[in-house]
Amino acid sequence: MSKRILTGDRPTGKLHLGHYVGSLKNRLKLQDEYEVFILVADLHALTTNVDTSVIKQNIKDLILDQISVGIDPKKVTFCVQSGIPEAQELAIIFSMLVPKPRLERMPTLKDVMRDLKIENPSLGLLSYPVLMAADILMVKANLVPVGKDQISHVELTREIAQKFNSIYGEMFPLPEALIPEELGTLPGVDGKTKMSKSLGNAIFLSDNEKAVREKVAKMYTDPTRIHSTDPGDVKNNPVFIYLDAFGAQEDKLKIEDYKEKYKKGKIGDVEVKQYLTYVLDKFLNPIRERRARLEKEAGLVEKTLEEGTKKARSEAIDTLNKVKEAMKLI
Ligand code: ATP
Ligand code: MG
C-alpha cells in the first residue's frame, strides 16, 4: 500500500505564485506517488482571525486554485477540518499528553505573536499544533509536507504519537516531515524575501493578463542599476528568480542569454520585464483556462469537499474508536 500524506492550508485568501513554488508544485508530483489528503484548515484560520465573513469564499478559492493548477480530486482527497468533529475529540485527548510549556515554547507561536502583534494568545492559537497533530494522526499519515517553519509541528506530532503508543499500546505510525530540497521561498514583486498576500506583493494564480502586466512593470529589479548600460545583478533580482522558476524548458536558453546581457549592461529592465510577462502568461494561461471551465460547473467545489470530507471523516471515526478502545473509554 502506498504511504499516506496529509497536507493542507488555512483558507485565508487566494493562492499566489509563492504557493505554487512552495507547495503546489510538490503536490502535483506527490498526488501520483502517494495517497494524499489535502485539508482545508478552516478552524486553524480562526486562530489568527475570528472574522468568518469571507471564509466560504476563501475555501472556494483554495479548492479552485488547486484544481486549476492540476491537483486532481480523483487522485487526492480534499477535506474540510470543521467537517471532521472526531479530529477535535482526538485533539482533546492528545491535549492531555502535552505539557503546556511545550506549546508556549513553539517557535511558530512566537513568530505569529510577533508578526501579528498578539500579546495574549488565545487557547486556540496555543493549542493549534495539537489540533494539527490530530489531523495528521486521524488518517495515520506517514509523511507531512511542510515548509521549514512547520517542522516543529511535525516533531510535536511524533511526540504525541509516541506518548500515546507508550501509554495505551501501538496505535500510530510516527509521521515524518517531508521537506523537498529544491523548494525555495519566492520573493515578492517588491523584492521582499517572501511573496505573501498580506504584504501586498503577490501575483495570484487567478490574476488576469492585465494584472500580471501591471505588477511585472512595477517590479523591483536591481536598485543599484540606474542606466540600462550599467552592469546588473541577476542573482538577487526577482525578475530573474521568476524567470528561472516559471520559464518552460524551451525558454531556458533565452533566459541564460538575457542573464549574460543583463550582467554586462546590454539589455534594459523593460525588455526583460516584457519577456517575464510573456513567460508568466504562458505558465498561467492553462491554469486560467481550466479555472474558467471549472467555474461553469455548478456545485463542483461543494461536491468535491463533501465527498472528500466524508472519506476523511470515516478514517477519523475509525481511528477515534480504536483510540477509545485502547484507552478503555468504550
Ligand atoms: P499570509 O500573508 O496570510 O501569511 P501567505 O501569502 O504568506 O499568507 P501562507 O498561508 O502563510 O501564505 O502560506 C502557506 C504556505 O505556503 C507556507 O507555509 C509555504 O509553504 C507556502 N508559501 C507561501 N508563500 C510562499 C513563498 N513566497 N514562497 C514559497 N512558499 C510559500
Ligand atoms: Mg504567511
Side-chain angles (χ1 to χ4, degrees):
M1 219 177 79
S2 63
K3 285 193 172 178
R4 272 199 179 168
I5 285 191
L6 183 118
T7 186
D9 314 272
R10 303 189 319 143
T12 55
K14 292 180 178 140
L15 299 182
H16 50 65
L17 294 179
H19 292 116
Y20 182 83
V21 170
S23 65
L24 302 182
K25 193 175 172 191
N26 192 35
R27 282 182 199 174
L28 285 170
K29 214 166 69 199
L30 296 174
Q31 69 177 349
D32 292 316
E33 297 166 18
Y34 298 96
E35 189 185 353
V36 180
F37 289 82
I38 301 181
L39 185 79
V40 177
D42 56 350
L43 296 173
H44 277 156
L46 302 181
T47 57
T48 52
N49 187 2
V50 290
D51 178 358
T52 49
S53 54
V54 291
I55 202 159
K56 276 253 150 39
Q57 186 58 44
N58 287 347
I59 291 174
K60 195 164 181 180
D61 285 333
L62 188 54
I63 300 297
L64 275 179
D65 281 334
Q66 295 188 77
I67 304 179
S68 305
V69 299
I71 297 170
D72 185 350
K74 291 198 188 73
K75 293 181 186 168
V76 307
T77 304
F78 285 111
C79 50
V80 187
Q81 194 175 34
S82 63
I84 311 174
E86 290 73 18
Q88 295 144 44
E89 205 175 329
L90 262 186
I92 289 283
I93 293 169
F94 290 163
S95 71
M96 315 300 166
L97 308 178
V98 184
K100 182 167 138 270
R102 175 75 179 87
L103 294 175
E104 285 163 342
R105 280 199 309 268
M106 292 300 277
T108 41
L109 175 71
K110 290 181 184 159
D111 289 347
V112 171
M113 286 176 63
R114 186 198 56 224
D115 292 347
L116 301 180
K117 302 187 173 56
I118 298 171
E119 261 180 54
N120 295 306
S122 67
L123 190 55
L125 180 58
L126 187 70
S127 62
Y128 180 128
V130 179
L131 181 54
M132 181 165 161
D135 295 331
I136 295 168
L137 296 176
M138 74 178 177
V139 295
K140 299 190 174 162
N142 311 95
L143 296 167
V144 188
V146 283
K148 285 202 186 79
D149 53 326
Q150 295 259 323
I151 297 175
S152 57
H153 290 176
V154 183
E155 268 164 15
L156 180 79
T157 305
R158 291 166 63 87
E159 285 169 27
I160 291 174
Q162 227 153 7
K163 195 151 180 191
F164 187 96
N165 292 349
S166 73
I167 301 174
Y168 303 108
E170 272 314 300
M171 176 73 59
F172 297 111
L174 303 185
E176 278 170 41
L178 189 69
I179 310 144
E181 288 287 319
E182 77 272 21
L183 299 188
T185 302
L186 193 76
V189 290
D190 57 358
K192 291 217 178 87
T193 29
K194 191 171 173 279
M195 179 178 283
S196 194
K197 62 185 161 315
S198 56
L199 294 176
N201 62 5
I203 295 179
F204 294 97
L205 294 168
S206 49
D207 274 350
N208 60 24
E209 294 189 6
K210 182 167 174 275
V212 170
R213 197 178 338 111
E214 286 171 0
K215 287 179 185 178
V216 172
K218 281 194 223 132
M219 239 172 114
Y220 174 101
T221 53
D222 174 359
T224 62
R225 193 173 189 238
I226 298 163
H227 306 290
S228 59
T229 49
D230 295 343
D233 174 31
V234 297
K235 223 165 157 251
N236 300 307
N237 188 329
V239 173
F240 285 98
I241 295 173
Y242 289 17
L243 281 175
D244 279 336
F246 299 101
Q249 203 52 41
E250 70 265 17
D251 301 313
K252 299 284 179 217
L253 270 177
K254 187 150 179 175
I255 293 171
E256 288 312 310
D257 179 46
Y258 272 26
K259 280 186 191 167
E260 285 313 308
K261 285 186 173 140
Y262 198 86
K263 281 194 263 186
K264 291 181 187 143
K266 287 189 172 160
I267 191 169
D269 278 354
V270 175
E271 197 180 330
V272 185
K273 283 180 171 180
Q274 271 166 358
Y275 183 56
L276 176 60
T277 307
Y278 158 83
V279 162
L280 288 181
D281 278 332
K282 195 160 71 164
F283 170 76
L284 289 171
N285 276 337
I287 298 174
R288 291 172 179 143
E289 280 159 25
R290 219 177 281 141
R291 191 186 183 97
R293 272 204 309 276
L294 294 169
E295 274 172 344
K296 286 197 200 108
E297 282 184 51
L300 173 87
V301 170
E302 291 77 4
K303 191 169 148 267
T304 301
L305 282 176
E306 202 184 298
E307 285 174 4
T309 304
K310 197 169 156 207
K311 182 175 162 199
R313 188 174 180 194
S314 77
E315 295 282 338
I317 291 172
D318 185 50
T319 303
L320 182 66
N321 275 331
K322 289 190 176 125
V323 160
K324 285 180 156 176
E325 272 170 27
M327 297 173 75
K328 305 195 187 345
L329 291 176
I330 50 173

PDB file of all heavy atoms in Angstrom, residues 193-220:
ATOM      1  N   THR A 193      11.785  39.373   0.885  1.00  0.00           N
ATOM      2  CA  THR A 193      12.172  37.958   0.788  1.00  0.00           C
ATOM      3  C   THR A 193      11.022  37.007   0.496  1.00  0.00           C
ATOM      4  O   THR A 193      11.226  35.975  -0.114  1.00  0.00           O
ATOM      5  CB  THR A 193      12.845  37.470   2.100  1.00  0.00           C
ATOM      6  OG1 THR A 193      12.299  38.231   3.165  1.00  0.00           O
ATOM      7  CG2 THR A 193      14.330  37.607   2.041  1.00  0.00           C
ATOM      8  N   LYS A 194       9.818  37.327   0.913  1.00  0.00           N
ATOM      9  CA  LYS A 194       8.736  36.358   0.720  1.00  0.00           C
ATOM     10  C   LYS A 194       7.509  36.987   0.081  1.00  0.00           C
ATOM     11  O   LYS A 194       7.009  38.004   0.554  1.00  0.00           O
ATOM     12  CB  LYS A 194       8.359  35.764   2.079  1.00  0.00           C
ATOM     13  CG  LYS A 194       7.441  34.574   1.989  1.00  0.00           C
ATOM     14  CD  LYS A 194       7.277  33.912   3.347  1.00  0.00           C
ATOM     15  CE  LYS A 194       6.233  32.831   3.336  1.00  0.00           C
ATOM     16  NZ  LYS A 194       4.868  33.301   3.449  1.00  0.00           N
ATOM     17  N   MET A 195       7.061  36.357  -0.995  1.00  0.00           N
ATOM     18  CA  MET A 195       5.776  36.764  -1.558  1.00  0.00           C
ATOM     19  C   MET A 195       4.710  36.348  -0.552  1.00  0.00           C
ATOM     20  O   MET A 195       4.680  35.202  -0.101  1.00  0.00           O
ATOM     21  CB  MET A 195       5.537  36.068  -2.902  1.00  0.00           C
ATOM     22  CG  MET A 195       4.218  36.418  -3.531  1.00  0.00           C
ATOM     23  SD  MET A 195       3.949  35.663  -5.145  1.00  0.00           S
ATOM     24  CE  MET A 195       4.954  36.656  -6.204  1.00  0.00           C
ATOM     25  N   SER A 196       3.846  37.270  -0.197  1.00  0.00           N
ATOM     26  CA  SER A 196       2.866  36.980   0.844  1.00  0.00           C
ATOM     27  C   SER A 196       1.647  37.851   0.588  1.00  0.00           C
ATOM     28  O   SER A 196       1.794  39.036   0.296  1.00  0.00           O
ATOM     29  CB  SER A 196       3.499  37.343   2.189  1.00  0.00           C
ATOM     30  OG  SER A 196       2.766  36.801   3.235  1.00  0.00           O
ATOM     31  N   LYS A 197       0.452  37.236   0.709  1.00  0.00           N
ATOM     32  CA  LYS A 197      -0.712  38.067   0.339  1.00  0.00           C
ATOM     33  C   LYS A 197      -0.880  39.253   1.279  1.00  0.00           C
ATOM     34  O   LYS A 197      -1.270  40.329   0.856  1.00  0.00           O
ATOM     35  CB  LYS A 197      -1.978  37.242   0.218  1.00  0.00           C
ATOM     36  CG  LYS A 197      -2.397  36.577   1.490  1.00  0.00           C
ATOM     37  CD  LYS A 197      -3.576  35.696   1.210  1.00  0.00           C
ATOM     38  CE  LYS A 197      -3.783  34.656   2.274  1.00  0.00           C
ATOM     39  NZ  LYS A 197      -2.627  33.925   2.762  1.00  0.00           N
ATOM     40  N   SER A 198      -0.531  39.070   2.555  1.00  0.00           N
ATOM     41  CA  SER A 198      -0.726  40.183   3.490  1.00  0.00           C
ATOM     42  C   SER A 198       0.291  41.300   3.269  1.00  0.00           C
ATOM     43  O   SER A 198       0.090  42.408   3.751  1.00  0.00           O
ATOM     44  CB  SER A 198      -0.676  39.684   4.931  1.00  0.00           C
ATOM     45  OG  SER A 198       0.539  39.024   5.150  1.00  0.00           O
ATOM     46  N   LEU A 199       1.364  41.018   2.549  1.00  0.00           N
ATOM     47  CA  LEU A 199       2.343  42.072   2.259  1.00  0.00           C
ATOM     48  C   LEU A 199       1.993  42.826   0.978  1.00  0.00           C
ATOM     49  O   LEU A 199       2.659  43.796   0.619  1.00  0.00           O
ATOM     50  CB  LEU A 199       3.750  41.481   2.138  1.00  0.00           C
ATOM     51  CG  LEU A 199       4.360  40.880   3.405  1.00  0.00           C
ATOM     52  CD1 LEU A 199       5.710  40.248   3.106  1.00  0.00           C
ATOM     53  CD2 LEU A 199       4.522  41.947   4.484  1.00  0.00           C
ATOM     54  N   GLY A 200       0.948  42.361   0.279  1.00  0.00           N
ATOM     55  CA  GLY A 200       0.530  43.053  -0.947  1.00  0.00           C
ATOM     56  C   GLY A 200       1.571  42.974  -2.052  1.00  0.00           C
ATOM     57  O   GLY A 200       1.651  43.869  -2.889  1.00  0.00           O
ATOM     58  N   ASN A 201       2.377  41.922  -2.043  1.00  0.00           N
ATOM     59  CA  ASN A 201       3.438  41.821  -3.060  1.00  0.00           C
ATOM     60  C   ASN A 201       3.321  40.536  -3.882  1.00  0.00           C
ATOM     61  O   ASN A 201       4.309  39.973  -4.320  1.00  0.00           O
ATOM     62  CB  ASN A 201       4.809  41.905  -2.390  1.00  0.00           C
ATOM     63  CG  ASN A 201       5.038  40.746  -1.420  1.00  0.00           C
ATOM     64  OD1 ASN A 201       4.212  39.842  -1.313  1.00  0.00           O
ATOM     65  ND2 ASN A 201       6.155  40.758  -0.731  1.00  0.00           N
ATOM     66  N   ALA A 202       2.062  40.082  -4.059  1.00  0.00           N
ATOM     67  CA  ALA A 202       1.848  38.769  -4.682  1.00  0.00           C
ATOM     68  C   ALA A 202       1.266  38.862  -6.090  1.00  0.00           C
ATOM     69  O   ALA A 202       0.498  39.773  -6.399  1.00  0.00           O
ATOM     70  CB  ALA A 202       0.911  37.942  -3.803  1.00  0.00           C
ATOM     71  N   ILE A 203       1.651  37.907  -6.922  1.00  0.00           N
ATOM     72  CA  ILE A 203       0.956  37.677  -8.188  1.00  0.00           C
ATOM     73  C   ILE A 203       0.122  36.415  -7.968  1.00  0.00           C
ATOM     74  O   ILE A 203       0.668  35.355  -7.642  1.00  0.00           O
ATOM     75  CB  ILE A 203       1.951  37.479  -9.354  1.00  0.00           C
ATOM     76  CG1 ILE A 203       2.732  38.778  -9.587  1.00  0.00           C
ATOM     77  CG2 ILE A 203       1.217  37.043 -10.629  1.00  0.00           C
ATOM     78  CD1 ILE A 203       3.774  38.711 -10.701  1.00  0.00           C
ATOM     79  N   PHE A 204      -1.192  36.560  -8.105  1.00  0.00           N
ATOM     80  CA  PHE A 204      -2.078  35.439  -7.803  1.00  0.00           C
ATOM     81  C   PHE A 204      -2.243  34.521  -9.008  1.00  0.00           C
ATOM     82  O   PHE A 204      -2.158  34.967 -10.163  1.00  0.00           O
ATOM     83  CB  PHE A 204      -3.446  35.961  -7.340  1.00  0.00           C
ATOM     84  CG  PHE A 204      -3.362  36.688  -6.029  1.00  0.00           C
ATOM     85  CD1 PHE A 204      -3.273  38.067  -5.978  1.00  0.00           C
ATOM     86  CD2 PHE A 204      -3.327  35.971  -4.833  1.00  0.00           C
ATOM     87  CE1 PHE A 204      -3.151  38.739  -4.768  1.00  0.00           C
ATOM     88  CE2 PHE A 204      -3.207  36.634  -3.612  1.00  0.00           C
ATOM     89  CZ  PHE A 204      -3.119  38.021  -3.583  1.00  0.00           C
ATOM     90  N   LEU A 205      -2.502  33.248  -8.713  1.00  0.00           N
ATOM     91  CA  LEU A 205      -2.712  32.283  -9.798  1.00  0.00           C
ATOM     92  C   LEU A 205      -3.940  32.665 -10.615  1.00  0.00           C
ATOM     93  O   LEU A 205      -4.070  32.289 -11.768  1.00  0.00           O
ATOM     94  CB  LEU A 205      -2.893  30.873  -9.211  1.00  0.00           C
ATOM     95  CG  LEU A 205      -1.664  30.301  -8.510  1.00  0.00           C
ATOM     96  CD1 LEU A 205      -2.016  29.052  -7.726  1.00  0.00           C
ATOM     97  CD2 LEU A 205      -0.565  29.995  -9.527  1.00  0.00           C
ATOM     98  N   SER A 206      -4.850  33.418 -10.003  1.00  0.00           N
ATOM     99  CA  SER A 206      -6.070  33.821 -10.700  1.00  0.00           C
ATOM    100  C   SER A 206      -5.976  35.230 -11.292  1.00  0.00           C
ATOM    101  O   SER A 206      -6.960  35.747 -11.810  1.00  0.00           O
ATOM    102  CB  SER A 206      -7.247  33.730  -9.719  1.00  0.00           C
ATOM    103  OG  SER A 206      -6.913  34.384  -8.516  1.00  0.00           O
ATOM    104  N   ASP A 207      -4.808  35.855 -11.243  1.00  0.00           N
ATOM    105  CA  ASP A 207      -4.651  37.190 -11.856  1.00  0.00           C
ATOM    106  C   ASP A 207      -4.801  37.098 -13.375  1.00  0.00           C
ATOM    107  O   ASP A 207      -4.284  36.160 -13.996  1.00  0.00           O
ATOM    108  CB  ASP A 207      -3.256  37.761 -11.538  1.00  0.00           C
ATOM    109  CG  ASP A 207      -3.228  38.495 -10.206  1.00  0.00           C
ATOM    110  OD1 ASP A 207      -4.309  38.727  -9.634  1.00  0.00           O
ATOM    111  OD2 ASP A 207      -2.119  38.838  -9.742  1.00  0.00           O
ATOM    112  N   ASN A 208      -5.472  38.100 -13.960  1.00  0.00           N
ATOM    113  CA  ASN A 208      -5.586  38.101 -15.429  1.00  0.00           C
ATOM    114  C   ASN A 208      -4.335  38.748 -16.054  1.00  0.00           C
ATOM    115  O   ASN A 208      -3.437  39.205 -15.351  1.00  0.00           O
ATOM    116  CB  ASN A 208      -6.873  38.798 -15.879  1.00  0.00           C
ATOM    117  CG  ASN A 208      -6.925  40.251 -15.426  1.00  0.00           C
ATOM    118  OD1 ASN A 208      -5.892  40.872 -15.176  1.00  0.00           O
ATOM    119  ND2 ASN A 208      -8.131  40.796 -15.322  1.00  0.00           N
ATOM    120  N   GLU A 209      -4.328  38.780 -17.388  1.00  0.00           N
ATOM    121  CA  GLU A 209      -3.118  39.254 -18.083  1.00  0.00           C
ATOM    122  C   GLU A 209      -2.789  40.692 -17.729  1.00  0.00           C
ATOM    123  O   GLU A 209      -1.623  41.046 -17.546  1.00  0.00           O
ATOM    124  CB  GLU A 209      -3.297  39.110 -19.602  1.00  0.00           C
ATOM    125  CG  GLU A 209      -3.389  37.646 -19.994  1.00  0.00           C
ATOM    126  CD  GLU A 209      -3.339  37.427 -21.500  1.00  0.00           C
ATOM    127  OE1 GLU A 209      -3.116  38.399 -22.238  1.00  0.00           O
ATOM    128  OE2 GLU A 209      -3.544  36.271 -21.909  1.00  0.00           O
ATOM    129  N   LYS A 210      -3.824  41.508 -17.613  1.00  0.00           N
ATOM    130  CA  LYS A 210      -3.604  42.929 -17.314  1.00  0.00           C
ATOM    131  C   LYS A 210      -2.938  43.073 -15.934  1.00  0.00           C
ATOM    132  O   LYS A 210      -1.963  43.807 -15.779  1.00  0.00           O
ATOM    133  CB  LYS A 210      -4.955  43.649 -17.343  1.00  0.00           C
ATOM    134  CG  LYS A 210      -4.878  45.125 -17.098  1.00  0.00           C
ATOM    135  CD  LYS A 210      -6.215  45.809 -17.458  1.00  0.00           C
ATOM    136  CE  LYS A 210      -6.216  47.269 -17.090  1.00  0.00           C
ATOM    137  NZ  LYS A 210      -6.585  47.526 -15.700  1.00  0.00           N
ATOM    138  N   ALA A 211      -3.468  42.364 -14.960  1.00  0.00           N
ATOM    139  CA  ALA A 211      -2.915  42.457 -13.602  1.00  0.00           C
ATOM    140  C   ALA A 211      -1.457  42.012 -13.583  1.00  0.00           C
ATOM    141  O   ALA A 211      -0.607  42.645 -12.943  1.00  0.00           O
ATOM    142  CB  ALA A 211      -3.747  41.604 -12.645  1.00  0.00           C
ATOM    143  N   VAL A 212      -1.168  40.928 -14.279  1.00  0.00           N
ATOM    144  CA  VAL A 212       0.212  40.434 -14.315  1.00  0.00           C
ATOM    145  C   VAL A 212       1.122  41.472 -14.966  1.00  0.00           C
ATOM    146  O   VAL A 212       2.202  41.794 -14.451  1.00  0.00           O
ATOM    147  CB  VAL A 212       0.307  39.083 -15.068  1.00  0.00           C
ATOM    148  CG1 VAL A 212       1.758  38.692 -15.329  1.00  0.00           C
ATOM    149  CG2 VAL A 212      -0.399  37.986 -14.282  1.00  0.00           C
ATOM    150  N   ARG A 213       0.664  42.034 -16.108  1.00  0.00           N
ATOM    151  CA  ARG A 213       1.476  43.027 -16.827  1.00  0.00           C
ATOM    152  C   ARG A 213       1.790  44.215 -15.910  1.00  0.00           C
ATOM    153  O   ARG A 213       2.931  44.650 -15.800  1.00  0.00           O
ATOM    154  CB  ARG A 213       0.730  43.490 -18.083  1.00  0.00           C
ATOM    155  CG  ARG A 213       1.645  44.178 -19.088  1.00  0.00           C
ATOM    156  CD  ARG A 213       0.941  44.618 -20.364  1.00  0.00           C
ATOM    157  NE  ARG A 213      -0.296  43.948 -20.686  1.00  0.00           N
ATOM    158  CZ  ARG A 213      -1.502  44.516 -20.658  1.00  0.00           C
ATOM    159  NH1 ARG A 213      -1.643  45.777 -20.311  1.00  0.00           N
ATOM    160  NH2 ARG A 213      -2.581  43.823 -20.969  1.00  0.00           N
ATOM    161  N   GLU A 214       0.773  44.693 -15.218  1.00  0.00           N
ATOM    162  CA  GLU A 214       0.978  45.861 -14.357  1.00  0.00           C
ATOM    163  C   GLU A 214       1.904  45.557 -13.179  1.00  0.00           C
ATOM    164  O   GLU A 214       2.759  46.365 -12.829  1.00  0.00           O
ATOM    165  CB  GLU A 214      -0.375  46.369 -13.842  1.00  0.00           C
ATOM    166  CG  GLU A 214      -1.151  47.078 -14.947  1.00  0.00           C
ATOM    167  CD  GLU A 214      -2.592  47.407 -14.557  1.00  0.00           C
ATOM    168  OE1 GLU A 214      -3.013  47.095 -13.419  1.00  0.00           O
ATOM    169  OE2 GLU A 214      -3.288  47.974 -15.415  1.00  0.00           O
ATOM    170  N   LYS A 215       1.730  44.376 -12.591  1.00  0.00           N
ATOM    171  CA  LYS A 215       2.580  44.029 -11.441  1.00  0.00           C
ATOM    172  C   LYS A 215       4.036  43.841 -11.878  1.00  0.00           C
ATOM    173  O   LYS A 215       4.947  44.278 -11.183  1.00  0.00           O
ATOM    174  CB  LYS A 215       2.056  42.765 -10.757  1.00  0.00           C
ATOM    175  CG  LYS A 215       0.783  43.007  -9.963  1.00  0.00           C
ATOM    176  CD  LYS A 215       0.266  41.742  -9.301  1.00  0.00           C
ATOM    177  CE  LYS A 215      -1.067  42.004  -8.620  1.00  0.00           C
ATOM    178  NZ  LYS A 215      -1.639  40.809  -8.005  1.00  0.00           N
ATOM    179  N   VAL A 216       4.236  43.212 -13.033  1.00  0.00           N
ATOM    180  CA  VAL A 216       5.607  42.999 -13.504  1.00  0.00           C
ATOM    181  C   VAL A 216       6.252  44.337 -13.862  1.00  0.00           C
ATOM    182  O   VAL A 216       7.423  44.575 -13.563  1.00  0.00           O
ATOM    183  CB  VAL A 216       5.647  42.015 -14.699  1.00  0.00           C
ATOM    184  CG1 VAL A 216       7.048  41.952 -15.305  1.00  0.00           C
ATOM    185  CG2 VAL A 216       5.205  40.620 -14.260  1.00  0.00           C
ATOM    186  N   ALA A 217       5.461  45.233 -14.477  1.00  0.00           N
ATOM    187  CA  ALA A 217       6.021  46.532 -14.881  1.00  0.00           C
ATOM    188  C   ALA A 217       6.554  47.308 -13.679  1.00  0.00           C
ATOM    189  O   ALA A 217       7.554  48.016 -13.768  1.00  0.00           O
ATOM    190  CB  ALA A 217       4.958  47.351 -15.610  1.00  0.00           C
ATOM    191  N   LYS A 218       5.897  47.117 -12.536  1.00  0.00           N
ATOM    192  CA  LYS A 218       6.316  47.858 -11.331  1.00  0.00           C
ATOM    193  C   LYS A 218       7.348  47.094 -10.501  1.00  0.00           C
ATOM    194  O   LYS A 218       7.727  47.533  -9.415  1.00  0.00           O
ATOM    195  CB  LYS A 218       5.088  48.111 -10.453  1.00  0.00           C
ATOM    196  CG  LYS A 218       4.240  49.284 -10.958  1.00  0.00           C
ATOM    197  CD  LYS A 218       3.248  49.699  -9.877  1.00  0.00           C
ATOM    198  CE  LYS A 218       1.891  49.967 -10.464  1.00  0.00           C
ATOM    199  NZ  LYS A 218       0.758  49.371  -9.811  1.00  0.00           N
ATOM    200  N   MET A 219       7.727  45.927 -11.001  1.00  0.00           N
ATOM    201  CA  MET A 219       8.559  45.052 -10.174  1.00  0.00           C
ATOM    202  C   MET A 219       9.924  45.636  -9.823  1.00  0.00           C
ATOM    203  O   MET A 219      10.526  46.342 -10.614  1.00  0.00           O
ATOM    204  CB  MET A 219       8.772  43.738 -10.925  1.00  0.00           C
ATOM    205  CG  MET A 219       8.286  42.553 -10.180  1.00  0.00           C
ATOM    206  SD  MET A 219       8.371  41.105 -11.205  1.00  0.00           S
ATOM    207  CE  MET A 219       9.613  40.200 -10.332  1.00  0.00           C
ATOM    208  N   TYR A 220      10.345  45.259  -8.651  1.00  0.00           N
ATOM    209  CA  TYR A 220      11.679  45.611  -8.148  1.00  0.00           C
ATOM    210  C   TYR A 220      12.703  44.819  -8.959  1.00  0.00           C
ATOM    211  O   TYR A 220      12.502  43.644  -9.254  1.00  0.00           O
ATOM    212  CB  TYR A 220      11.699  45.193  -6.682  1.00  0.00           C
ATOM    213  CG  TYR A 220      12.982  45.312  -5.940  1.00  0.00           C
ATOM    214  CD1 TYR A 220      13.216  46.380  -5.076  1.00  0.00           C
ATOM    215  CD2 TYR A 220      13.948  44.316  -6.054  1.00  0.00           C
ATOM    216  CE1 TYR A 220      14.385  46.456  -4.360  1.00  0.00           C
ATOM    217  CE2 TYR A 220      15.131  44.397  -5.331  1.00  0.00           C
ATOM    218  CZ  TYR A 220      15.350  45.469  -4.489  1.00  0.00           C
ATOM    219  OH  TYR A 220      16.500  45.538  -3.762  1.00  0.00           O
TER     220      TYR A 220
END
